[in-house]
Amino acid sequence: MRRPSAALVAVRAWGIGRSAVPVVLASVIGPPEYLRTLWLIFVVVFAIISAYGLFFDWLTIRYRMDDEGLVYESGWPSKVRSQVGWREVDAVRVDQDLPHRLLRRYKVTVAVGAEQRESIVLAALSRQDADLLGRLHGEATATVPSDEHPSVPGPEESRGDNSESHPLYRASWRDHLVIAFTYGQFILVVPFLIGGYRHVAEWISVPSEDDVALWLVAQLPVTIAALLVCAFLYGVARSYLRFGGYVVRVIDGGYEVRFGVLECSTRRVQLDAVLGVRIDQNPLMALLGMASLRLVLRNSHGEDQTLTILPVARMSMVEEHLRRILPGAVMTTDRPGWPVPVAVLVLGGGAASGLMIAGRHWAMALLLLILALWLANRWTAAWGQGGGYVVFRRGVCFVRRYLLRPEAIRSLSTWSLRSGPVLVKVVVLDESPTTLFAPCTTRERVTALGQMVLDPDARFVTDPDR
């Protein structure tokens, strides 16, 4: 069993230093007289806990990795020992945040496939150890024996000569332009500018917001041009911070994603760890024939539950990789039930018209109309099933599709009045458990969904006309 590198102490010191900044600032400012004793006690306790956390992991963690798997021990005086085989590992994520980059070290997160088991995190690994871990996992989970294909390299190793690996996607500036507008990030420039102006007003004397608004209205052409320029720059900047350096490769039996501008990360997933996919299209994407593709992973947590492999791509490429990820999946669904979304539009439009006629409340009427459109889009939804997968489609303008294995469904509820259509509520895995509704679902579809949830091996033939 090996002890972590002493660089782990420096990594922990970085984290403790960041958390100690507010404490130091508060101590410099000084608490009120009646709180000084309590504050002194807090500072002493904080210092003791920080010193304890500084060396605790380095002194107590032990690990071993070989061809069989990974063994990890931590804790004192009671120890926790985790032992996993490489085939139990669903995904490997390699991160290099700022302290790791300065120390030329890596943090590797091993997502274990067993239910209710936490991921194993190995911090401050050398490049050689990170390479070794990735290679051992790749060889064990490859679809061919490890002696018949090149090994899977680590975080910085080039794989251009690997016949089992080829690039799928690399974010370019053209992609950032498309992402900036198709993801709708440019819309956020207005609250961003308003919030930024208010922060500036707290520090220096500037004209009031009312005066600025009157000037902008008086110079409307200039205002629109400046707003478009700001929106363009803001959208591109957000896209670059999120997808800068985004590189996706198809590896033997899965995908590898590398991303990060200031902090570099690498994630590898195997196809057998994928529970399903999510495909998103907004109006601009649909107009350009594009979509985004995201994987839903088994037994991960938080942001590690999903992985975007195509931030924006042609629909033909999305469908090609959909066939690779979920072979035999069919995206057909029942016809969406129109009564509910039409009723929402009629009621919302009528209420908005009433507000404008009665009191000319244009702002309230516009917000009410936007809310009605949003609700109608969400309630235009339908379920389907094909090839052993559960299918969900929602939206007319902003379209979202899920294709999921039955294991990704956490609960299913239905409501109906006598023999009428059924409202189906299903909780599925995404970045967090997500609730999906579909009104006016046929009873046949409800029965099929229920049987698939209870019996994941069940197979039914989807009839789109039902």
Side-chain angles (χ1 to χ4, degrees):
M1 300 288 284
R2 301 170 55 186
R3 172 181 290 180
S5 165
L8 181 59
V9 177
V11 172
R12 294 291 182 261
W14 176 276
I16 292 171
R18 292 177 60 181
S19 62
V21 169
V23 178
V24 173
L25 292 177
S27 299
V28 171
I29 296 173
E33 184 69 29
Y34 63 90
L35 290 178
R36 288 188 177 178
T37 302
L38 292 177
W39 181 255
L40 179 60
I41 295 174
F42 169 77
V43 171
V44 171
V45 172
F46 179 82
I48 294 173
I49 293 175
S50 298
Y52 176 78
L54 185 64
F55 297 98
F56 181 77
D57 287 345
W58 179 63
L59 293 173
T60 61
I61 289 176
R62 300 290 185 274
Y63 68 93
R64 181 180 71 243
M65 48 188 176
D66 52 28
D67 294 339
E68 301 298 323
L70 175 66
V71 181
Y72 179 85
E73 287 185 356
S74 63
W76 184 88
S78 61
K79 287 183 175 291
V80 177
R81 180 186 178 96
S82 299
Q83 185 168 351
V84 296
W86 293 120
R87 292 190 177 275
E88 299 177 66
V89 176
D90 280 347
V92 174
R93 174 171 178 166
V94 181
D95 296 316
Q96 195 180 35
D97 53 18
L98 185 57
H100 282 87
R101 177 175 289 190
L102 293 174
L103 296 168
R104 297 185 178 181
R105 299 283 168 166
Y106 299 87
K107 182 177 75 172
V108 180
T109 303
V110 179
V112 184
E115 193 76 31
Q116 304 300 327
R117 291 191 65 176
E118 294 291 335
S119 299
I120 297 175
V121 180
L122 297 173
L125 289 184
S126 65
R127 176 183 171 181
Q128 291 74 18
D129 286 343
D131 288 347
L132 175 61
L133 193 150
R135 184 164 55 250
L136 291 173
H137 175 247
E139 291 175 350
T141 55
T143 56
V144 295
S146 59
D147 58 349
E148 296 181 12
H149 67 83
S151 61
V152 179
E156 293 184 351
E157 211 170 326
S158 173
R159 298 204 284 175
D161 298 332
N162 189 351
S163 61
E164 300 295 338
S165 164
H166 63 273
L168 168 63
Y169 174 85
R170 181 185 298 272
S172 63
W173 281 109
R174 183 190 64 179
D175 294 324
H176 291 307
L177 299 179
V178 175
I179 291 171
F181 286 95
T182 58
Y183 276 43
Q185 294 171 344
F186 63 94
I187 298 175
L188 300 176
V189 71
V190 175
F192 173 79
L193 292 176
I194 294 174
Y197 190 84
R198 288 175 178 172
H199 285 300
V200 171
E202 294 176 358
W203 294 92
I204 60 176
S205 177
V206 294
S208 67
E209 294 181 18
D210 293 337
D211 293 338
V212 173
L214 291 174
W215 184 87
L216 292 176
V217 171
Q219 308 291 332
L220 194 58
V222 176
T223 301
I224 294 176
L227 188 62
L228 289 175
V229 171
C230 292
F232 173 79
L233 296 176
Y234 181 80
V236 172
R238 278 182 60 90
S239 174
Y240 183 72
L241 290 175
R242 182 176 179 183
F243 295 109
Y246 212 87
V247 180
V248 184
R249 301 184 67 88
V250 178
I251 61 176
D252 190 14
Y255 293 91
E256 178 190 81
V257 179
R258 302 182 185 183
F259 56 94
V261 179
L262 300 176
E263 300 179 353
C264 299
S265 298
T266 302
R267 292 185 64 185
R268 299 188 185 96
V269 298
Q270 298 296 316
L271 293 181
D272 56 7
V274 177
L275 286 182
V277 301
R278 192 183 99 185
I279 303 171
D280 290 306
Q281 266 189 316
N282 59 33
L284 287 173
M285 285 183 175
L287 184 64
L288 297 173
M290 309 184 88
S292 66
L293 179 62
R294 178 179 298 186
L295 306 182
V296 179
L297 306 178
R298 177 187 291 113
N299 297 326
S300 296
H301 307 278
E303 63 177 4
D304 292 332
Q305 185 74 52
T306 61
L307 177 64
T308 301
I309 60 171
L310 291 175
V312 60
R314 292 288 179 185
M315 196 62 190
S316 57
M317 179 182 290
V318 172
E319 293 173 348
E320 175 187 345
H321 285 275
L322 179 62
R323 290 190 292 269
R324 178 179 188 257
I325 298 164
L326 302 177
V330 180
M331 287 196 291
T332 54
T333 64
D334 294 332
R335 291 193 179 98
W338 296 109
V340 173
V342 169
V344 170
L345 281 177
V346 171
L347 292 175
S353 301
L355 284 173
M356 288 187 290
I357 293 172
R360 295 186 178 182
H361 300 291
W362 298 97
M364 290 296 297
L366 181 60
L367 289 175
L368 187 59
L369 186 58
I370 292 174
L371 178 61
L373 291 171
W374 179 77
L375 288 174
N377 187 78
R378 288 183 66 88
W379 284 101
T380 305
W383 290 97
Q385 171 274 328
Y389 301 97
V390 177
V391 187
F392 177 79
R393 186 185 189 277
R394 181 183 72 199
V396 177
C397 298
F398 295 85
V399 180
R400 174 166 294 179
R401 298 181 182 89
Y402 285 94
L403 282 85
L404 303 169
R405 301 181 189 274
E407 308 95 279
I409 296 180
R410 287 297 177 254
S411 68
L412 185 150
S413 306
T414 61
W415 295 271
S416 64
L417 295 174
R418 296 186 179 180
S419 60
V422 182
L423 169 63
V424 179
K425 168 191 169 185
V426 177
V427 178
V428 302
L429 290 179
D430 200 338
E431 289 186 49
S432 59
T434 301
T435 302
L436 305 175
F437 291 94
C440 303
T441 304
T442 61
R443 293 184 177 273
E444 293 83 356
R445 178 63 60 211
V446 173
T447 301
L449 288 173
Q451 290 177 343
M452 287 195 71
V453 174
L454 295 174
D455 182 9
D457 295 327
R459 297 292 183 267
F460 302 91
V461 178
T462 299
D463 182 1
D465 295 325
R466 194 164 55 192

